[in-house]
Amino acid sequence: MARPPGPPDEPGFPEAVAAPKSRWRVQLVWLVPLIAVLIGGWLAVQAILEKGPTIKISFSTGEGLEAGKTKIKFKNVDIGVVQSVVLSPDHKHVIATAELAKQATDMLVDDTRFWVVRPRISGGTVSGIGTLLSGSFIGMDIGTQKKPRRDFVGLEIPPVFASGVPGREFVLKSEDLGSLDVGSPVYFRRLQVGQVTSFDLNADGSGVTMRVFINAPYDKYVKGDTRFWQASGLDVVLDTSGVKINTESLVSILVGGLAFQSPPDSQDVVEASAQTPFQLFATRTEAMQRHERIVDNYVFNFKESVRGLTVGAPVDFRGIVVGEVAAINTRYDPVTREFSIPVQVRFYPERFTSRYESGRRAGRVVENRREVAQWLVERGLRAQLRTGSLLTGQLYVALDFFPTAPKAAMNWEANPPEMPTVPGGLQSLQESVSSLVAKLNKIPFEGIGNDLRATLQEAKRLVTTLDTQVAPEARGALVQAREALNATNRVMQTDSPLQQNAADAMRELARTAAAFRALAEYLERHPEALIRGKPEDSK
């Protein structure tokens, strides 16, 4: 309906026309929720794209594991968190489900390792002390394989070294573990250069196999002929220079340890490759013994006591160890009905020559060992038991020449060949003493005593006779002899008649001698006087 006209004096205004409302017009109030939805969707897509892998780790116990709290760390950087911890279907293990960062996807390979980091003391090393305040976490070490993996079995013992550490791992074979443990130190010239990484009992129970890791650059000192030995405790050596006590360190005394070194005369300069097996010796002395390439077996048959002789005792030739005792047995000969002690020895013929001659290893002295051995035995070569220590009573086998020994020959029919022996010095002394005692036993000491007793009785009777009969007569004879001596003294006095008569007789003899001298002189001048006589004096 048209609007009635207004007064003529009012100004004119255009008439408003109502416009119809649009059905599709967007209200501004809906922009905010729309933007929120878009942002949420973008965040959800980004979360899906950035979500890392989910893994499961099996542990023997859930100690230190908490869902939503326990972190997974690599090189002390958080890369994941444990989402849940549940028992395995067989109730024997604990399965921890963890979500890792996307950047850790390529780290989950077949040989990747996980373990729970908690305070530990093992092999002389202390680890995980920081977890006393921060709580336990799961450590991770990247493997070297390429095959991806999502289910893992956690380690009960943390690895000693992480992958990628420069160095090499070697395998050691031993009869027992001793005082070693995972983490026990390995020394080279008393410097700690590695650690024991693991050990296992052999499948047949005959020994222990352990692995050691030698850090670079010390791993280059492990050669093909390197010797490993247990460096636990004290190594006491008693020799002519006194008492020597050797040890690697105080730590090795308390928790055990290993040491390695090449022999002083080593010619093998080639470095050992990783996983090379070595024998683990009990002591350094045993490890550094010369390992012979040529070994001959012989038997020494002794008929005396071998108390003090042990397996491993040296076979000595004039002060040089040329072998060792391998076994000690007993033997009964039904023909002679006698017991003997066959001692089997390992003989090293290389030790009779220089170890190196003209740059080449020395071998046997001669190729025909049978002929030479027979020749030596014919010239008196024998084996003899001797005392190595008066303090401990230990014996050793000595090889030497005994020219006066009874003739003997090698028994090549026996296996191993049998070499003749001679009694030991102590045995010979015992036999000599026994022979002397036997001879002394043959002396009739009782008869000699009876004869001596009878002789003493005769002597007693003789003394009695002398005292009762002979002594008085002898006393009278002595008195008469004294009187005769006194008479003789009186006669020999200068004023005695006998002395005067003797003096006159001597004077007469002197005159007579003078007359004879004068007559002799006259006859010498006038020999004719014997015929004509003495001429008369002219008047």
Side-chain angles (χ1 to χ4, degrees), residues 227 265 288-296 321-324 346-353 355 361-363:
R227 315 286 171 79
D265 54 356
M288 288 301 163
Q289 285 181 350
R290 185 185 301 174
H291 292 186
E292 305 295 334
R293 297 180 301 115
I294 304 175
V295 179
D296 293 335
V321 177
V322 295
E324 62 180 354
R346 286 189 288 266
F347 188 73
Y348 308 129
E350 283 184 302
R351 298 192 181 184
F352 279 92
T353 63
R355 186 161 179 81
R361 291 182 182 273

Side-chain angles (χ1 to χ4, degrees), residues 4-161:
D9 53 349
E10 293 181 2
F13 290 92
E15 186 177 356
V17 179
K21 185 177 180 181
S22 176
R23 184 180 303 176
W24 302 100
R25 185 175 181 181
V26 179
Q27 300 295 330
L28 292 176
V29 70
W30 294 104
L31 289 177
V32 175
L34 180 61
I35 293 173
V37 171
L38 292 175
I39 293 175
W42 179 79
L43 291 175
V45 172
Q46 187 180 22
I48 294 174
L49 295 176
E50 294 294 330
K51 182 180 180 181
T54 300
I55 62 173
K56 293 183 178 181
I57 310 173
S58 175
F59 294 100
S60 62
T61 178
E63 180 184 0
L65 301 178
E66 292 187 54
K69 292 184 178 181
T70 304
K71 305 292 184 181
I72 297 179
K73 296 185 179 182
F74 175 69
K75 293 187 177 181
N76 211 27
V77 175
D78 294 345
I79 60 173
V81 64
V82 174
Q83 299 296 330
S84 65
V85 180
V86 297
L87 288 173
S88 62
D90 58 1
H91 300 165
K92 294 182 178 180
H93 303 88
V94 172
I95 298 177
T97 303
E99 184 177 337
L100 276 64
K102 183 179 180 180
Q103 64 206 32
T105 302
D106 57 349
M107 301 165 61
L108 303 174
V109 293
D110 194 52
D111 57 346
T112 297
R113 299 178 291 182
F114 294 91
W115 66 94
V116 178
V117 178
R118 58 174 69 97
R120 297 176 185 271
I121 300 177
S122 175
T125 59
V126 180
S127 62
I129 296 299
T131 59
L132 293 174
L133 300 176
S134 62
S136 301
F137 62 90
I138 297 178
M140 176 182 175
D141 182 42
I142 303 176
T144 58
Q145 303 293 330
K146 300 299 182 182
K147 182 181 178 180
R149 185 176 178 180
R150 294 295 181 268
D151 293 329
F152 298 90
V153 177
L155 302 176
E156 296 302 321
I157 300 177
V160 177
F161 64 96

Side-chain angles (χ1 to χ4, degrees), residues 500-513:
Q500 293 177 0
N501 294 333
D504 295 341
M506 292 299 294
R507 284 193 293 270
E508 289 296 331
L509 289 175
R511 285 195 293 270
T512 301

Side-chain angles (χ1 to χ4, degrees), residues 161 165-170 193-195 197 212-223 270-276:
F161 64 96
V165 176
R168 278 175 284 181
E169 192 176 46
F170 302 98
V193 297
Q195 289 177 308
T197 60
V212 296
F213 184 81
I214 309 299
N215 300 312
Y218 306 105
D219 57 335
K220 66 181 179 181
Y221 299 114
V222 182
K223 311 294 184 180
V270 179
E271 297 180 14
S273 58
Q275 305 302 323
T276 299

Side-chain angles (χ1 to χ4, degrees), residues 424-435:
L426 183 59
Q427 181 69 19
S428 299
L429 179 60
Q430 292 177 348
E431 292 179 355
S432 299
V433 172
S434 299
S435 177

